Amino acid sequence: MKYDMRIDGRTIETFDTFEGANAHAERLNGILSLTSPDKKAIVIGDYGRVGE
């Protein structure tokens, strides 16, 4: 299973674990809150093909 970290619908990076993706998104959101408060990094997961 893969987890994408996205901003404005664009994938910034893909991770193998939710914990890694979420930690990176939290760090990035700390920066974005100061520089671009209208943007937010989110984690999207479990989008693999059926049967994987």
Side-chain angles (χ1 to χ4, degrees), residues 32-48:
L32 288 172
S33 69
L34 299 172
T35 59
S36 299
D38 58 323
K39 296 185 185 253
K40 184 172 175 115
I42 60 169
V43 176
I44 305 294
D46 195 14
Y47 61 88

Side-chain angles (χ1 to χ4, degrees), residues 20-36:
N22 198 45
H24 194 75
E26 286 179 6
R27 284 193 301 273
L28 190 55
N29 281 330
I31 295 167
L32 288 172
S33 69
L34 299 172
T35 59
S36 299

Side-chain angles (χ1 to χ4, degrees), residues 5-38:
M5 185 191 64
R6 298 180 183 177
I7 298 175
D8 289 340
R10 300 176 110 182
T11 299
I12 304 300
E13 193 167 346
T14 300
F15 296 84
D16 291 325
T17 65
F18 175 77
E19 292 80 13
N22 198 45
H24 194 75
E26 286 179 6
R27 284 193 301 273
L28 190 55
N29 281 330
I31 295 167
L32 288 172
S33 69
L34 299 172
T35 59
S36 299
D38 58 323

